[in-house]
Amino acid sequence: MRTTRILFGLLRDTFQRGSALQAILLPQKHPTLIKTVLLGGTLSTTCVYLGKQYKANCKEENNNDVSIRYKASKLRDDFSAKASIEYNGEYFMTGRDFIEAWITDEYYEKEKIELYDSEYDVLINSIKVAEEPSFNMLFAATALISYPDYIFLRSILKRPDDLSLMSFKMLDLDLNGYISIDEYYSLCKMFTKNDEGDPKKHLKTTLRVLLFDHTDGEKITLQKFEQLLKDVQTNCLKAEFNRYRQKENKQNMISVQGFMRAVLRRTKVTPIQRARFIDKSEVYSDLDAITLDQFKSMITLLNNFSDFEVAVRMYQIAKKPLAREVFKRAVFISSGENIDDEIIDVLFYVFDEAGDGHLSHSEFVNIMREMDTTVVSQKGGNHTIGQYFRKCIRNEMIRSYA
């Protein structure tokens, strides 16, 4: 934009010099010709410059596309590394593989076990003939989870319940209140590279059998989708809770330090910040342990944190810190959870850097806002050269002649 301002400044001086020259040297019958030449030069120079700018912008958007593809490829590589089953040239996770990948931040690679056709048939048929099928079967050591299943399950774990239910409506392409097997396979086709032919010919997995083989007409109702959402979230929540449960704690209790580690792993705080917060939680003595229900209420808040931020926006604008009663009310409004006072005391003790008994925007909201949701966003949109031309002309005319 600085180059544009210089260009327009030179053009403005040229107009002024041209007018003076016209008055002294040229007859009065030539001003139209001079103005035409100057205007033509102005438009030509501007179009050349804006064309280069448009090309640079397209290059930036292409770089964004490359970044998105890179992150998608990185997620597939992560799945391939952590999957322990291989069959017919495809990798599969077991239910335990999925849980381990969900609650573990470190990268690791698992040794692959290749299935024979007979073994694959046994695993799939055991789900088909189950008298009381349950989505809890997804987390057994005998479950088979493909890469599209992995993406689908992660997406409903990382979102609030209302957004996950919105996903149901997005998958319901014909808006008839059901997700058909064709609509589900169209989703799978999006995540499967080198996908050719009929998507129904893809290998069956535990999730697909549970969704469709035990359903009349091969359709998923909203009620069944809600049950899937509930079972997946409950199993993963318990697994993460048990990861931080120490041996000396009771079965359904974790330490304050473990609780804080679970909260901070969802943020992008620096290692130094993380260590400082955990050190503060270690010396907190007012609470011995945290229950599963308390842990669940905090995770629900984090999943709905954008709504929490909206609820406390007025305090940010007024530059007022959050008191305990305001914090508790905002949690209830945004997540529907009546968070315990004990959890609020822990959060205020750890994140209250100023020691004034309040939480400022920078002390809590800014930290939690940086939650790592593995959601790739792309800034900017598609603009035509005409839009860039009009925008630059408008901005520079305002700057040059203001």
Side-chain angles (χ1 to χ4, degrees):
M1 298 306 293
R2 180 181 178 184
T3 305
T4 310
R5 288 196 296 270
I6 296 174
L7 173 63
F8 273 86
L10 292 174
L11 291 173
R12 183 179 58 189
D13 295 340
T14 301
F15 271 115
Q16 294 173 351
R17 288 195 299 269
S19 299
L21 184 63
Q22 171 189 323
I24 298 173
L25 300 177
L26 297 178
Q28 294 296 325
K29 62 181 180 180
H30 291 300
T32 303
L33 175 61
I34 294 176
K35 290 182 179 179
T36 301
V37 172
L38 290 173
L39 180 61
T42 300
L43 293 177
S44 299
T45 306
T46 304
C47 287
V48 170
Y49 171 76
L50 293 176
K52 292 181 179 180
Q53 185 180 15
Y54 175 71
K55 183 177 179 180
N57 184 77
C58 291
K59 183 177 180 181
E60 181 179 354
E61 290 182 354
N62 290 334
N63 290 337
N64 287 336
D65 292 338
V66 171
S67 177
I68 291 173
R69 290 196 298 270
Y70 168 74
K71 292 182 179 180
S73 175
K74 186 177 181 181
L75 191 60
R76 178 182 283 277
D77 292 341
D78 189 66
F79 170 83
S80 300
K82 297 177 181 180
S84 62
I85 301 295
E86 182 179 359
Y87 175 68
N88 198 27
E90 293 186 30
Y91 290 138
F92 295 88
M93 279 185 173
T94 66
R96 292 181 180 177
D97 292 340
F98 178 82
I99 289 291
E100 187 176 352
W102 174 253
I103 66 176
T104 305
D105 301 323
E106 294 78 15
Y107 178 84
Y108 58 88
E109 293 187 16
K110 281 200 167 186
E111 184 178 355
K112 305 297 184 284
I113 300 175
E114 188 170 356
L115 289 183
Y116 295 106
D117 292 342
S118 58
E119 295 173 322
Y120 171 80
D121 292 338
V122 168
L123 293 178
I124 295 300
N125 290 331
S126 65
I127 305 297
K128 289 183 177 181
V129 301
E131 296 182 358
E132 297 182 359
S134 168
F135 290 117
N136 292 323
M137 293 179 174
L138 278 171
F139 306 99
T142 56
L144 292 178
I145 299 174
S146 66
Y147 176 67
D149 295 341
Y150 174 73
I151 297 295
F152 176 70
L153 294 174
R154 281 183 63 97
S155 68
I156 64 177
L157 280 169
K158 285 284 188 179
R159 295 182 174 185
D161 291 352
D162 56 344
L163 289 182
S164 295
L165 295 178
M166 192 180 298
S167 301
F168 177 89
K169 298 178 181 179
M170 290 295 295
L171 294 175
D172 181 15
L173 301 179
D174 53 10
L175 302 177
N176 62 355
Y178 301 91
I179 297 177
S180 67
I181 192 169
D182 291 329
E183 290 169 336
Y184 181 80
Y185 275 124
S186 67
L187 173 69
C188 297
K189 193 172 184 179
M190 292 171 55
F191 297 118
T192 306
K193 62 181 181 180
N194 300 327
D195 189 10
E196 299 177 356
D198 187 358
K200 291 184 179 180
K201 295 181 180 179
H202 287 293
L203 295 171
K204 285 193 172 182
T205 62
T206 302
L207 178 61
R208 299 179 203 182
V209 172
L210 289 172
L211 287 175
F212 296 105
D213 285 31
H214 293 278
T215 305
D216 295 336
E218 294 185 331
K219 295 179 179 179
I220 307 174
T221 63
L222 178 59
Q223 182 180 5
K224 190 168 187 177
F225 187 84
E226 289 176 337
Q227 187 62 47
L228 168 65
L229 178 63
K230 179 181 178 182
D231 290 346
V232 171
Q233 290 180 337
T234 299
N235 279 276
C236 290
L237 184 73
K238 288 182 178 179
E240 185 176 6
F241 182 83
N242 290 330
R243 176 193 178 191
Y244 295 102
R245 181 172 58 86
Q246 298 178 356
K247 294 181 179 179
E248 61 269 16
N249 288 126
K250 298 178 181 179
Q251 183 175 0
N252 293 322
M253 306 281 281
I254 61 174
S255 65
V256 175
Q257 180 185 359
F259 169 78
M260 194 52 55
R261 289 182 182 277
V263 171
L264 292 175
R265 73 180 289 259
R266 286 170 162 77
T267 68
K268 294 182 179 179
V269 297
T270 65
I272 295 177
Q273 287 178 310
R274 186 186 305 272
R276 186 173 71 252
F277 291 142
I278 292 176
D279 288 344
K280 291 185 69 175
S281 67
E282 287 181 347
V283 299
Y284 185 76
S285 58
D286 293 345
L287 183 63
D288 294 332
I290 292 173
T291 66
L292 178 60
D293 289 338
Q294 291 174 327
F295 179 75
K296 176 179 177 295
S297 65
M298 185 63 196
I299 299 303
T300 303
L301 167 61
L302 297 181
N303 288 340
N304 293 271
F305 197 77
S306 59
D307 293 333
F308 175 85
E309 187 176 359
V310 172
V312 299
R313 183 70 55 80
M314 67 180 70
Y315 291 89
Q316 176 194 6
I317 296 174
K319 297 183 179 180
K320 298 291 185 181
L322 299 177
R324 281 173 166 79
E325 58 274 11
V326 174
F327 183 92
K328 185 172 185 176
R329 186 165 64 252
V331 171
F332 180 76
I333 292 172
S334 59
S335 66
E337 291 288 335
N338 192 10
I339 192 169
D340 289 349
D341 292 336
E342 294 174 333
I343 299 299
I344 295 178
D345 290 340
V346 172
L347 295 176
F348 271 68
Y349 179 84
V350 172
F351 293 107
D352 180 15
E353 299 278 15
D356 57 0
H358 295 74
L359 287 182
S360 67
H361 204 78
S362 61
E363 288 174 336
F364 184 75
V365 177
N366 286 348
I367 292 175
M368 295 301 162
R369 182 195 293 164
E370 297 297 326
M371 287 187 295
D372 185 9
T373 58
T374 68
V375 175
V376 181
S377 62
Q378 183 179 8
K379 296 183 179 180
N382 296 322
H383 301 283
T384 65
I385 191 168
Q387 289 172 323
Y388 281 115
F389 180 84
R390 289 191 296 271
K391 182 178 179 180
C392 287
I393 289 290
R394 183 182 68 250
N395 292 342
E396 295 308 321
M397 289 295 289
I398 291 173
R399 290 192 181 115
S400 297
Y401 295 97

